Amino acid sequence: MFIAFEGLDGSGSSTQSRLLAERMEKNGHAVLLTKEPTGDTPIGKMIREILQHKWEAAPHTLQLLFTADRAEHLRTQIEPALQNGQTVITDRYLFSTLAYGAMDVRMGWLRELSRFFRIPDITFLFKLDPRECIRRITGRGSDFELFERHEKLAKVWENYEKIAADFPNFHIIDATKSIEEIGEGVWTIVMGKIQE
Ligand code: ADP
Ligand code: MG
């Protein structure tokens, strides 16, 4: 079973990926909890340095790096764990590249690059108003800052909605609910899928 968590920054997806991994482990499932961009890898490191503006890269370069990072993530971690019968839970996956990346480069090109990547058995997409996402991460910013960032995140969300309609196995999660309620909803969907 391969499960991905997706959503805008601040929507609560990392929190729920951790909770699901813990609960599955407690219930006797072997789990690999992982994330993208990957942690302790050369390509993951390059991506973080570009995002932190330590060096400059063309938008296409950044997207190619995200894609290369994913290819290695699949080869070295995800595929071997699935072969071992583990459940793989990834905090962000190719849909983050499509939704965020399409702000800078063509979505069609990104989809072409991702054509041969494994599609998760379940993708949870966390739906939360961009303003609330920003509040959860930063507390209240200035109104103008909030407005500017809101505009951008609203476009990223539009991309996510298009993707959710185009790919299989998406579950849109109402992320306004409490952490506990969302956890229960996620659990029910995963257990339902396991019993299929
Ligand atoms: P993401 O990974 O989507 O960026 P996080 O899981 O890191 O989001 O959560 C962002 C912030 O919001 C954290 O401070 C987290 O504790 C808080 N948070 C997560 N889920 C909820 C929720 N359901 N309700 C309120 N706050 C939440
Ligand atoms: Mg996160």
Side-chain angles (χ1 to χ4, degrees), residues 23-86:
R23 191 162 173 185
M24 288 192 81
E25 272 168 355
K26 264 193 214 140
N27 281 267
H29 298 271
V31 174
L32 172 72
L33 175 62
T34 183
K35 66 171 170 126
E36 291 189 3
T38 58
D40 197 13
T41 62
I43 304 173
K45 187 164 172 248
M46 287 169 87
I47 293 170
R48 271 187 300 283
E49 287 181 0
I50 294 171
L51 295 177
Q52 292 160 5
H53 304 286
K54 287 188 181 155
W55 49 283
E56 214 177 305
H60 288 84
T61 306
L62 178 61
Q63 297 311 321
L64 287 166
L65 284 170
F66 273 115
T67 304
D69 186 46
R70 181 160 310 118
E72 291 309 305
H73 191 204
L74 280 159
R75 184 181 69 84
T76 63
Q77 296 190 62
I78 296 172
E79 296 295 352
L82 291 172
Q83 283 290 319
N84 272 335
Q86 284 172 281

